[in-house]
């Protein structure tokens, strides 16, 4: 097994290789505006660090969000392209699950929250680092304050709203290393991973204009 994992659902552009036993190379950069520019060089870096070529990869793992449309689609399209070119399976994993898997939380249950912009968070609650209790959702922090009261939190979204999430733990952003490790663990147990389909949870910011201006000559 040689899994190539990547995620662009948060400001982190993150890539990792997992050989079925451990992560053998990884790279993470935080830049919310350069997903497309940074992802492929990160893949090249990780392959070079591990001393392998892309055709040695036996499977792709991609974070499926939830996340903003523009960033999330970079990772998903790259994963699909690699899968088609290499003839290997492409597996999806919820980005929030990757954060939960790497969470430095002693008290359980807990909540994971990432920044959804528009003064909202993408979030879900977890019984432990491997068990999600609720479906991913997008809400204003104040609207879920009662539901998450008393729970420790993980993620950059929680850090933005201390009134709702007063106790926040690392990590701030998801890592492909965590996604790869979680995927390898579940695949080894014979579990079927989700399809690589995006969890947008809401419409993209960009909208088609309702009224077009006629510019063609009469």
């Amino acid at each position: 097994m040689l899994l190539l994992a990547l995620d662009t659902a948060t400001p982190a552009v993150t890539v990792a290789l997992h050989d079925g036993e451990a992560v053998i190379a990884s790279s993470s950069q935080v830049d919310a505006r350069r997903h497309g520019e940074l992802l492929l060089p990160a893949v090249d870096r990780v392959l070079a660090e591990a001393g392998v070529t892309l055709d040695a990869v036996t499977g792709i793992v991609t974070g499926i969000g939830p996340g903003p449309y523009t960033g999330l689609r970079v990772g998903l399209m790259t994963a699909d392209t690699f899968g088609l070119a290499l003839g290997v399976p492409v597996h999806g994993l919820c980005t929030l699950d990757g954060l939960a898997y790497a969470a430095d939380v002693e008290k359980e249950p807990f909540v994971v929250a990432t920044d959804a912009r528009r003064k909202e968070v993408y979030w879900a609650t977890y019984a432990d680092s491997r068990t999600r209790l609720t479906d991913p959702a997008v809400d204003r922090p104040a609207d879920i304050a009662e539901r998450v009261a008393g729970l420790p939190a993980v993620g950059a979204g929680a850090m933005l709203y201390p009134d709702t999430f007063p106790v926040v733990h690392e990590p701030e952003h998801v890592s492909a290393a965590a996604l790869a490790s979680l995927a390898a663990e579940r695949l080894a147990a014979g579990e079927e991973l989700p399809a690589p389909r995006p969890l947008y949870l809401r419409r993209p910011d960009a909208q088609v204009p309702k009224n077009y201006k006629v510019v063609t000559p009469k």
Side-chain angles (χ1 to χ4, degrees):
M1 177 187 292
L2 186 62
L3 295 176
L4 173 66
L6 52 92
D7 193 292
T8 58
T10 75
V13 179
T14 179
V15 179
L17 277 172
H18 196 291
D19 66 0
E21 298 292 332
V23 173
I24 58 174
S26 63
S27 171
S28 292
Q29 296 170 274
V30 177
D31 193 327
R33 298 180 180 275
R34 299 174 65 207
H35 292 96
E37 180 181 345
L38 296 175
L39 182 58
L40 290 180
V43 172
D44 288 341
R45 249 190 336 270
V46 166
L47 291 170
E49 180 182 339
V52 300
T53 56
L54 185 60
D55 57 8
V57 170
T58 61
I60 310 294
V61 178
T62 179
I64 59 174
Y69 176 80
T70 302
L72 182 54
R73 66 179 178 173
V74 171
L76 287 165
M77 291 302 296
T78 301
D80 280 342
T81 300
F82 282 156
L84 287 171
L86 299 172
V88 299
V90 181
H91 309 287
L93 272 182
C94 175
T95 297
L96 301 180
D97 290 356
L99 273 160
Y101 186 79
D104 182 21
V105 180
E106 295 182 1
K107 180 183 177 183
E108 298 169 338
F110 61 93
V111 58
V112 173
T114 60
D115 183 15
R117 305 173 187 171
R118 304 185 193 176
K119 299 182 180 180
E120 294 178 330
V121 293
Y122 297 117
W123 69 283
T125 56
Y126 290 79
D128 54 53
S129 62
R130 293 170 174 80
T131 309
R132 179 155 35 89
L133 295 174
T134 60
D135 290 333
V138 58
D139 289 287
R140 288 180 176 268
D143 294 339
I144 62 171
E146 291 187 5
R147 298 177 62 181
V148 301
L151 297 180
V154 173
M159 293 178 178
L160 294 173
Y161 303 99
D163 289 345
T164 300
F165 308 103
V167 180
V168 183
H169 297 264
E170 294 290 338
E172 182 176 357
H173 299 296
V174 70
S175 73
L179 284 173
S181 297
L182 178 58
E185 183 178 296
R186 289 181 174 176
L187 289 170
E191 296 183 31
E192 184 174 347
L193 300 183
R197 298 293 176 263
L199 286 172
Y200 290 131
L201 301 188
R202 69 183 183 204
R203 297 179 64 84
D205 293 330
Q207 301 292 329
V208 176
K210 293 182 179 179
N211 298 311
Y212 288 96
K213 181 179 179 180
V214 178
V215 295
T216 55
K218 294 182 179 180

mmCIF file of all heavy atoms in Angstrom, residues 24-74:
data_model
loop_
_atom_site.group_PDB
_atom_site.id
_atom_site.type_symbol
_atom_site.label_atom_id
_atom_site.label_comp_id
_atom_site.label_asym_id
_atom_site.label_seq_id
_atom_site.Cartn_x
_atom_site.Cartn_y
_atom_site.Cartn_z
ATOM 1 N N ILE A 24 5.330 8.421 5.566
ATOM 2 C CA ILE A 24 6.750 8.436 5.203
ATOM 3 C C ILE A 24 7.204 9.794 4.666
ATOM 4 O O ILE A 24 8.404 10.039 4.535
ATOM 5 C CB ILE A 24 7.083 7.331 4.188
ATOM 6 C CG1 ILE A 24 6.251 7.474 2.912
ATOM 7 C CG2 ILE A 24 6.865 5.959 4.812
ATOM 8 C CD1 ILE A 24 6.635 6.485 1.820
ATOM 9 N N ALA A 25 6.263 10.672 4.365
ATOM 10 C CA ALA A 25 6.609 12.028 3.933
ATOM 11 C C ALA A 25 5.353 12.882 3.984
ATOM 12 O O ALA A 25 4.240 12.389 3.756
ATOM 13 C CB ALA A 25 7.183 12.037 2.517
ATOM 14 N N SER A 26 5.533 14.176 4.286
ATOM 15 C CA SER A 26 4.373 15.062 4.349
ATOM 16 C C SER A 26 4.788 16.501 4.128
ATOM 17 O O SER A 26 5.958 16.867 4.311
ATOM 18 C CB SER A 26 3.654 14.941 5.703
ATOM 19 O OG SER A 26 4.493 15.359 6.761
ATOM 20 N N SER A 27 3.816 17.320 3.745
ATOM 21 C CA SER A 27 4.050 18.744 3.524
ATOM 22 C C SER A 27 2.753 19.491 3.806
ATOM 23 O O SER A 27 1.682 19.047 3.394
ATOM 24 C CB SER A 27 4.482 18.998 2.071
ATOM 25 O OG SER A 27 4.506 20.387 1.777
ATOM 26 N N SER A 28 2.845 20.627 4.499
ATOM 27 C CA SER A 28 1.683 21.466 4.761
ATOM 28 C C SER A 28 2.080 22.934 4.693
ATOM 29 O O SER A 28 3.095 23.329 5.277
ATOM 30 C CB SER A 28 1.072 21.173 6.136
ATOM 31 O OG SER A 28 0.485 19.898 6.178
ATOM 32 N N GLN A 29 1.307 23.717 3.954
ATOM 33 C CA GLN A 29 1.480 25.161 3.873
ATOM 34 C C GLN A 29 0.110 25.805 4.050
ATOM 35 O O GLN A 29 -0.883 25.324 3.503
ATOM 36 C CB GLN A 29 2.061 25.566 2.518
ATOM 37 C CG GLN A 29 3.459 25.042 2.242
ATOM 38 C CD GLN A 29 3.880 25.275 0.808
ATOM 39 O OE1 GLN A 29 3.597 24.473 -0.073
ATOM 40 N NE2 GLN A 29 4.541 26.398 0.556
ATOM 41 N N VAL A 30 0.076 26.898 4.773
ATOM 42 C CA VAL A 30 -1.186 27.592 5.012
ATOM 43 C C VAL A 30 -1.233 28.849 4.162
ATOM 44 O O VAL A 30 -0.460 29.787 4.373
ATOM 45 C CB VAL A 30 -1.356 27.937 6.509
ATOM 46 C CG1 VAL A 30 -2.653 28.718 6.726
ATOM 47 C CG2 VAL A 30 -1.359 26.668 7.350
ATOM 48 N N ASP A 31 -2.125 28.852 3.197
ATOM 49 C CA ASP A 31 -2.330 30.007 2.323
ATOM 50 C C ASP A 31 -3.669 29.831 1.619
ATOM 51 O O ASP A 31 -3.792 29.065 0.657
ATOM 52 C CB ASP A 31 -1.207 30.137 1.298
ATOM 53 C CG ASP A 31 -1.226 31.489 0.589
ATOM 54 O OD1 ASP A 31 -2.326 32.032 0.385
ATOM 55 O OD2 ASP A 31 -0.141 31.988 0.238
ATOM 56 N N ALA A 32 -4.676 30.533 2.098
ATOM 57 C CA ALA A 32 -6.045 30.327 1.623
ATOM 58 C C ALA A 32 -6.252 30.739 0.178
ATOM 59 O O ALA A 32 -7.252 30.355 -0.437
ATOM 60 C CB ALA A 32 -7.014 31.103 2.518
ATOM 61 N N ARG A 33 -5.322 31.506 -0.399
ATOM 62 C CA ARG A 33 -5.521 32.018 -1.753
ATOM 63 C C ARG A 33 -4.655 31.338 -2.812
ATOM 64 O O ARG A 33 -4.693 31.727 -3.982
ATOM 65 C CB ARG A 33 -5.233 33.532 -1.780
ATOM 66 C CG ARG A 33 -6.163 34.342 -0.889
ATOM 67 C CD ARG A 33 -5.848 35.812 -0.953
ATOM 68 N NE ARG A 33 -6.722 36.601 -0.113
ATOM 69 C CZ ARG A 33 -7.915 37.045 -0.461
ATOM 70 N NH1 ARG A 33 -8.386 36.767 -1.668
ATOM 71 N NH2 ARG A 33 -8.660 37.757 0.365
ATOM 72 N N ARG A 34 -3.888 30.312 -2.423
ATOM 73 C CA ARG A 34 -2.935 29.740 -3.384
ATOM 74 C C ARG A 34 -3.017 28.212 -3.471
ATOM 75 O O ARG A 34 -2.036 27.546 -3.758
ATOM 76 C CB ARG A 34 -1.515 30.169 -3.020
ATOM 77 C CG ARG A 34 -1.290 31.675 -3.049
ATOM 78 C CD ARG A 34 0.096 32.023 -2.538
ATOM 79 N NE ARG A 34 1.139 31.501 -3.411
ATOM 80 C CZ ARG A 34 2.370 31.197 -2.992
ATOM 81 N NH1 ARG A 34 2.694 31.354 -1.714
ATOM 82 N NH2 ARG A 34 3.274 30.748 -3.834
ATOM 83 N N HIS A 35 -4.203 27.655 -3.239
ATOM 84 C CA HIS A 35 -4.346 26.200 -3.295
ATOM 85 C C HIS A 35 -3.858 25.637 -4.626
ATOM 86 O O HIS A 35 -3.090 24.677 -4.672
ATOM 87 C CB HIS A 35 -5.805 25.799 -3.071
ATOM 88 C CG HIS A 35 -6.314 26.061 -1.698
ATOM 89 N ND1 HIS A 35 -7.005 27.192 -1.371
ATOM 90 C CD2 HIS A 35 -6.214 25.336 -0.554
ATOM 91 C CE1 HIS A 35 -7.331 27.161 -0.088
ATOM 92 N NE2 HIS A 35 -6.860 26.046 0.434
ATOM 93 N N GLY A 36 -4.338 26.219 -5.730
ATOM 94 C CA GLY A 36 -3.979 25.720 -7.044
ATOM 95 C C GLY A 36 -2.503 25.851 -7.344
ATOM 96 O O GLY A 36 -1.908 25.002 -8.019
ATOM 97 N N GLU A 37 -1.890 26.892 -6.841
ATOM 98 C CA GLU A 37 -0.474 27.140 -7.093
ATOM 99 C C GLU A 37 0.433 26.238 -6.266
ATOM 100 O O GLU A 37 1.513 25.832 -6.717
ATOM 101 C CB GLU A 37 -0.165 28.611 -6.791
ATOM 102 C CG GLU A 37 1.268 29.014 -7.002
ATOM 103 C CD GLU A 37 1.509 30.477 -6.650
ATOM 104 O OE1 GLU A 37 0.524 31.236 -6.514
ATOM 105 O OE2 GLU A 37 2.689 30.860 -6.529
ATOM 106 N N LEU A 38 0.002 25.900 -5.057
ATOM 107 C CA LEU A 38 0.881 25.195 -4.124
ATOM 108 C C LEU A 38 0.727 23.677 -4.134
ATOM 109 O O LEU A 38 1.651 22.964 -3.721
ATOM 110 C CB LEU A 38 0.619 25.695 -2.697
ATOM 111 C CG LEU A 38 0.941 27.168 -2.417
ATOM 112 C CD1 LEU A 38 0.512 27.536 -0.999
ATOM 113 C CD2 LEU A 38 2.420 27.444 -2.618
ATOM 114 N N LEU A 39 -0.421 23.164 -4.584
ATOM 115 C CA LEU A 39 -0.697 21.739 -4.395
ATOM 116 C C LEU A 39 0.257 20.826 -5.161
ATOM 117 O O LEU A 39 0.867 19.923 -4.582
ATOM 118 C CB LEU A 39 -2.144 21.429 -4.765
ATOM 119 C CG LEU A 39 -2.566 19.974 -4.560
ATOM 120 C CD1 LEU A 39 -2.368 19.537 -3.118
ATOM 121 C CD2 LEU A 39 -4.022 19.764 -4.982
ATOM 122 N N LEU A 40 0.403 21.022 -6.455
ATOM 123 C CA LEU A 40 1.250 20.113 -7.239
ATOM 124 C C LEU A 40 2.724 20.172 -6.837
ATOM 125 O O LEU A 40 3.379 19.125 -6.743
ATOM 126 C CB LEU A 40 1.068 20.383 -8.731
ATOM 127 C CG LEU A 40 -0.293 19.974 -9.300
ATOM 128 C CD1 LEU A 40 -0.368 20.279 -10.781
ATOM 129 C CD2 LEU A 40 -0.586 18.503 -9.031
ATOM 130 N N PRO A 41 3.283 21.371 -6.566
ATOM 131 C CA PRO A 41 4.656 21.374 -6.042
ATOM 132 C C PRO A 41 4.787 20.616 -4.726
ATOM 133 O O PRO A 41 5.824 19.992 -4.464
ATOM 134 C CB PRO A 41 4.958 22.863 -5.867
ATOM 135 C CG PRO A 41 4.092 23.534 -6.882
ATOM 136 C CD PRO A 41 2.827 22.739 -6.893
ATOM 137 N N ALA A 42 3.743 20.662 -3.895
ATOM 138 C CA ALA A 42 3.778 19.917 -2.637
ATOM 139 C C ALA A 42 3.788 18.416 -2.889
ATOM 140 O O ALA A 42 4.487 17.653 -2.202
ATOM 141 C CB ALA A 42 2.585 20.299 -1.761
ATOM 142 N N VAL A 43 3.015 17.970 -3.879
ATOM 143 C CA VAL A 43 3.034 16.550 -4.248
ATOM 144 C C VAL A 43 4.430 16.146 -4.705
ATOM 145 O O VAL A 43 4.963 15.109 -4.287
ATOM 146 C CB VAL A 43 1.991 16.267 -5.352
ATOM 147 C CG1 VAL A 43 2.154 14.838 -5.879
ATOM 148 C CG2 VAL A 43 0.574 16.475 -4.834
ATOM 149 N N ASP A 44 5.043 16.961 -5.550
ATOM 150 C CA ASP A 44 6.401 16.667 -6.022
ATOM 151 C C ASP A 44 7.386 16.585 -4.858
ATOM 152 O O ASP A 44 8.261 15.701 -4.815
ATOM 153 C CB ASP A 44 6.868 17.749 -7.003
ATOM 154 C CG ASP A 44 6.168 17.663 -8.349
ATOM 155 O OD1 ASP A 44 5.606 16.591 -8.661
ATOM 156 O OD2 ASP A 44 6.172 18.675 -9.078
ATOM 157 N N ARG A 45 7.247 17.497 -3.900
ATOM 158 C CA ARG A 45 8.152 17.534 -2.746
ATOM 159 C C ARG A 45 8.023 16.256 -1.915
ATOM 160 O O ARG A 45 9.015 15.665 -1.485
ATOM 161 C CB ARG A 45 7.830 18.751 -1.871
ATOM 162 C CG ARG A 45 8.868 19.810 -1.887
ATOM 163 C CD ARG A 45 8.690 20.900 -0.869
ATOM 164 N NE ARG A 45 7.364 21.118 -0.373
ATOM 165 C CZ ARG A 45 6.479 21.962 -0.930
ATOM 166 N NH1 ARG A 45 6.782 22.622 -2.033
ATOM 167 N NH2 ARG A 45 5.290 22.138 -0.394
ATOM 168 N N VAL A 46 6.802 15.855 -1.691
ATOM 169 C CA VAL A 46 6.551 14.680 -0.857
ATOM 170 C C VAL A 46 7.061 13.412 -1.536
ATOM 171 O O VAL A 46 7.675 12.543 -0.900
ATOM 172 C CB VAL A 46 5.044 14.577 -0.540
ATOM 173 C CG1 VAL A 46 4.690 13.207 0.013
ATOM 174 C CG2 VAL A 46 4.643 15.657 0.459
ATOM 175 N N LEU A 47 6.828 13.292 -2.840
ATOM 176 C CA LEU A 47 7.338 12.129 -3.568
ATOM 177 C C LEU A 47 8.865 12.089 -3.529
ATOM 178 O O LEU A 47 9.474 11.028 -3.322
ATOM 179 C CB LEU A 47 6.845 12.167 -5.014
ATOM 180 C CG LEU A 47 5.347 11.944 -5.236
ATOM 181 C CD1 LEU A 47 4.974 12.253 -6.678
ATOM 182 C CD2 LEU A 47 4.939 10.514 -4.873
ATOM 183 N N ALA A 48 9.491 13.256 -3.713
ATOM 184 C CA ALA A 48 10.951 13.315 -3.686
ATOM 185 C C ALA A 48 11.495 12.966 -2.312
ATOM 186 O O ALA A 48 12.504 12.246 -2.187
ATOM 187 C CB ALA A 48 11.417 14.709 -4.101
ATOM 188 N N GLU A 49 10.841 13.460 -1.262
ATOM 189 C CA GLU A 49 11.284 13.164 0.108
ATOM 190 C C GLU A 49 11.214 11.675 0.398
ATOM 191 O O GLU A 49 12.089 11.110 1.072
ATOM 192 C CB GLU A 49 10.416 13.929 1.111
ATOM 193 C CG GLU A 49 10.796 13.696 2.564
ATOM 194 C CD GLU A 49 9.882 14.426 3.533
ATOM 195 O OE1 GLU A 49 9.219 15.396 3.115
ATOM 196 O OE2 GLU A 49 9.811 14.013 4.713
ATOM 197 N N ALA A 50 10.157 11.026 -0.134
ATOM 198 C CA ALA A 50 9.990 9.595 0.099
ATOM 199 C C ALA A 50 10.841 8.752 -0.844
ATOM 200 O O ALA A 50 10.991 7.539 -0.638
ATOM 201 C CB ALA A 50 8.521 9.212 -0.060
ATOM 202 N N GLY A 51 11.378 9.375 -1.902
ATOM 203 C CA GLY A 51 12.196 8.637 -2.850
ATOM 204 C C GLY A 51 11.403 7.708 -3.739
ATOM 205 O O GLY A 51 11.892 6.639 -4.128
ATOM 206 N N VAL A 52 10.173 8.100 -4.082
ATOM 207 C CA VAL A 52 9.326 7.275 -4.942
ATOM 208 C C VAL A 52 8.795 8.139 -6.084
ATOM 209 O O VAL A 52 8.861 9.373 -6.046
ATOM 210 C CB VAL A 52 8.148 6.648 -4.170
ATOM 211 C CG1 VAL A 52 8.662 5.756 -3.041
ATOM 212 C CG2 VAL A 52 7.227 7.737 -3.601
ATOM 213 N N THR A 53 8.257 7.493 -7.086
ATOM 214 C CA THR A 53 7.624 8.196 -8.192
ATOM 215 C C THR A 53 6.116 8.047 -8.092
ATOM 216 O O THR A 53 5.610 7.156 -7.400
ATOM 217 C CB THR A 53 8.109 7.650 -9.540
ATOM 218 O OG1 THR A 53 7.859 6.236 -9.598
ATOM 219 C CG2 THR A 53 9.592 7.917 -9.721
ATOM 220 N N LEU A 54 5.424 8.900 -8.810
ATOM 221 C CA LEU A 54 3.963 8.912 -8.714
ATOM 222 C C LEU A 54 3.352 7.577 -9.105
ATOM 223 O O LEU A 54 2.344 7.155 -8.524
ATOM 224 C CB LEU A 54 3.396 10.032 -9.593
ATOM 225 C CG LEU A 54 1.883 10.282 -9.522
ATOM 226 C CD1 LEU A 54 1.462 10.641 -8.103
ATOM 227 C CD2 LEU A 54 1.478 11.391 -10.496
ATOM 228 N N ASP A 55 3.952 6.873 -10.065
ATOM 229 C CA ASP A 55 3.360 5.611 -10.507
ATOM 230 C C ASP A 55 3.479 4.491 -9.480
ATOM 231 O O ASP A 55 2.928 3.400 -9.673
ATOM 232 C CB ASP A 55 3.953 5.164 -11.847
ATOM 233 C CG ASP A 55 5.472 5.004 -11.820
ATOM 234 O OD1 ASP A 55 6.059 5.096 -10.725
ATOM 235 O OD2 ASP A 55 6.045 4.799 -12.896
ATOM 236 N N ALA A 56 4.166 4.738 -8.361
ATOM 237 C CA ALA A 56 4.224 3.754 -7.280
ATOM 238 C C ALA A 56 3.010 3.829 -6.361
ATOM 239 O O ALA A 56 2.767 2.917 -5.559
ATOM 240 C CB ALA A 56 5.501 3.953 -6.458
ATOM 241 N N VAL A 57 2.239 4.906 -6.483
ATOM 242 C CA VAL A 57 1.079 5.108 -5.612
ATOM 243 C C VAL A 57 -0.016 4.093 -5.939
ATOM 244 O O VAL A 57 -0.332 3.852 -7.115
ATOM 245 C CB VAL A 57 0.544 6.550 -5.776
ATOM 246 C CG1 VAL A 57 -0.807 6.720 -5.080
ATOM 247 C CG2 VAL A 57 1.560 7.546 -5.230
ATOM 248 N N THR A 58 -0.609 3.494 -4.916
ATOM 249 C CA THR A 58 -1.647 2.477 -5.107
ATOM 250 C C THR A 58 -3.047 2.994 -4.790
ATOM 251 O O THR A 58 -4.034 2.292 -5.035
ATOM 252 C CB THR A 58 -1.377 1.242 -4.238
ATOM 253 O OG1 THR A 58 -1.379 1.615 -2.849
ATOM 254 C CG2 THR A 58 -0.024 0.637 -4.583
ATOM 255 N N GLY A 59 -3.141 4.196 -4.233
ATOM 256 C CA GLY A 59 -4.447 4.755 -3.914
ATOM 257 C C GLY A 59 -4.324 6.221 -3.550
ATOM 258 O O GLY A 59 -3.279 6.666 -3.076
ATOM 259 N N ILE A 60 -5.406 6.962 -3.792
ATOM 260 C CA ILE A 60 -5.454 8.389 -3.487
ATOM 261 C C ILE A 60 -6.493 8.613 -2.390
ATOM 262 O O ILE A 60 -7.570 8.012 -2.413
ATOM 263 C CB ILE A 60 -5.852 9.220 -4.726
ATOM 264 C CG1 ILE A 60 -5.012 8.836 -5.941
ATOM 265 C CG2 ILE A 60 -5.751 10.704 -4.421
ATOM 266 C CD1 ILE A 60 -3.556 9.162 -5.839
ATOM 267 N N VAL A 61 -6.163 9.467 -1.451
ATOM 268 C CA VAL A 61 -7.111 9.880 -0.400
ATOM 269 C C VAL A 61 -7.246 11.390 -0.470
ATOM 270 O O VAL A 61 -6.236 12.102 -0.464
ATOM 271 C CB VAL A 61 -6.623 9.463 0.998
ATOM 272 C CG1 VAL A 61 -7.599 9.949 2.067
ATOM 273 C CG2 VAL A 61 -6.430 7.960 1.084
ATOM 274 N N THR A 62 -8.471 11.871 -0.539
ATOM 275 C CA THR A 62 -8.679 13.315 -0.602
ATOM 276 C C THR A 62 -9.705 13.767 0.424
ATOM 277 O O THR A 62 -10.716 13.096 0.646
ATOM 278 C CB THR A 62 -9.134 13.754 -2.010
ATOM 279 O OG1 THR A 62 -9.356 15.168 -2.029
ATOM 280 C CG2 THR A 62 -10.414 13.061 -2.429
ATOM 281 N N GLY A 63 -9.410 14.882 1.073
ATOM 282 C CA GLY A 63 -10.391 15.488 1.963
ATOM 283 C C GLY A 63 -11.562 16.008 1.140
ATOM 284 O O GLY A 63 -11.367 16.672 0.120
ATOM 285 N N ILE A 64 -12.782 15.709 1.572
ATOM 286 C CA ILE A 64 -13.975 16.105 0.816
ATOM 287 C C ILE A 64 -14.714 17.269 1.474
ATOM 288 O O ILE A 64 -15.820 17.608 1.102
ATOM 289 C CB ILE A 64 -14.939 14.921 0.624
ATOM 290 C CG1 ILE A 64 -15.397 14.343 1.972
ATOM 291 C CG2 ILE A 64 -14.267 13.834 -0.218
ATOM 292 C CD1 ILE A 64 -16.466 13.260 1.845
ATOM 293 N N GLY A 65 -14.063 17.891 2.460
ATOM 294 C CA GLY A 65 -14.699 19.013 3.128
ATOM 295 C C GLY A 65 -15.450 18.570 4.371
ATOM 296 O O GLY A 65 -15.213 17.477 4.879
ATOM 297 N N PRO A 66 -16.348 19.422 4.825
ATOM 298 C CA PRO A 66 -16.855 20.623 4.161
ATOM 299 C C PRO A 66 -15.798 21.726 4.052
ATOM 300 O O PRO A 66 -14.891 21.818 4.866
ATOM 301 C CB PRO A 66 -18.009 21.058 5.069
ATOM 302 C CG PRO A 66 -17.649 20.511 6.420
ATOM 303 C CD PRO A 66 -16.963 19.221 6.151
ATOM 304 N N GLY A 67 -15.977 22.541 3.002
ATOM 305 C CA GLY A 67 -15.059 23.635 2.774
ATOM 306 C C GLY A 67 -15.569 24.554 1.700
ATOM 307 O O GLY A 67 -16.552 24.234 1.008
ATOM 308 N N PRO A 68 -14.932 25.705 1.527
ATOM 309 C CA PRO A 68 -15.328 26.644 0.484
ATOM 310 C C PRO A 68 -15.166 26.032 -0.904
ATOM 311 O O PRO A 68 -14.239 25.257 -1.160
ATOM 312 C CB PRO A 68 -14.367 27.827 0.677
ATOM 313 C CG PRO A 68 -13.886 27.690 2.092
ATOM 314 C CD PRO A 68 -13.845 26.224 2.362
ATOM 315 N N TYR A 69 -16.021 26.408 -1.814
ATOM 316 C CA TYR A 69 -16.064 25.816 -3.156
ATOM 317 C C TYR A 69 -14.732 25.926 -3.871
ATOM 318 O O TYR A 69 -14.214 24.942 -4.402
ATOM 319 C CB TYR A 69 -17.162 26.517 -3.961
ATOM 320 C CG TYR A 69 -17.256 26.080 -5.397
ATOM 321 C CD1 TYR A 69 -17.901 24.901 -5.737
ATOM 322 C CD2 TYR A 69 -16.700 26.849 -6.423
ATOM 323 C CE1 TYR A 69 -17.993 24.488 -7.059
ATOM 324 C CE2 TYR A 69 -16.785 26.447 -7.741
ATOM 325 C CZ TYR A 69 -17.438 25.268 -8.054
ATOM 326 O OH TYR A 69 -17.519 24.872 -9.357
ATOM 327 N N THR A 70 -14.144 27.121 -3.904
ATOM 328 C CA THR A 70 -12.951 27.354 -4.715
ATOM 329 C C THR A 70 -11.778 26.500 -4.263
ATOM 330 O O THR A 70 -11.116 25.844 -5.071
ATOM 331 C CB THR A 70 -12.555 28.835 -4.679
ATOM 332 O OG1 THR A 70 -13.652 29.620 -5.141
ATOM 333 C CG2 THR A 70 -11.356 29.094 -5.568
ATOM 334 N N GLY A 71 -11.491 26.478 -2.965
ATOM 335 C CA GLY A 71 -10.365 25.702 -2.480
ATOM 336 C C GLY A 71 -10.610 24.210 -2.558
ATOM 337 O O GLY A 71 -9.738 23.446 -2.979
ATOM 338 N N LEU A 72 -11.788 23.778 -2.167
ATOM 339 C CA LEU A 72 -12.088 22.356 -2.087
ATOM 340 C C LEU A 72 -11.981 21.672 -3.443
ATOM 341 O O LEU A 72 -11.463 20.563 -3.560
ATOM 342 C CB LEU A 72 -13.486 22.166 -1.494
ATOM 343 C CG LEU A 72 -13.981 20.730 -1.282
ATOM 344 C CD1 LEU A 72 -12.989 19.940 -0.446
ATOM 345 C CD2 LEU A 72 -15.345 20.761 -0.613
ATOM 346 N N ARG A 73 -12.446 22.329 -4.490
ATOM 347 C CA ARG A 73 -12.449 21.683 -5.804
ATOM 348 C C ARG A 73 -11.035 21.460 -6.332
ATOM 349 O O ARG A 73 -10.822 20.565 -7.156
ATOM 350 C CB ARG A 73 -13.261 22.504 -6.803
ATOM 351 C CG ARG A 73 -12.676 23.857 -7.144
ATOM 352 C CD ARG A 73 -13.523 24.591 -8.163
ATOM 353 N NE ARG A 73 -12.987 25.914 -8.446
ATOM 354 C CZ ARG A 73 -13.459 26.709 -9.399
ATOM 355 N NH1 ARG A 73 -14.456 26.309 -10.155
ATOM 356 N NH2 ARG A 73 -12.925 27.898 -9.600
ATOM 357 N N VAL A 74 -10.050 22.246 -5.893
ATOM 358 C CA VAL A 74 -8.668 22.044 -6.336
ATOM 359 C C VAL A 74 -8.190 20.649 -5.931
ATOM 360 O O VAL A 74 -7.646 19.889 -6.752
ATOM 361 C CB VAL A 74 -7.741 23.123 -5.742
ATOM 362 C CG1 VAL A 74 -6.275 22.791 -6.029
ATOM 363 C CG2 VAL A 74 -8.093 24.492 -6.295
#
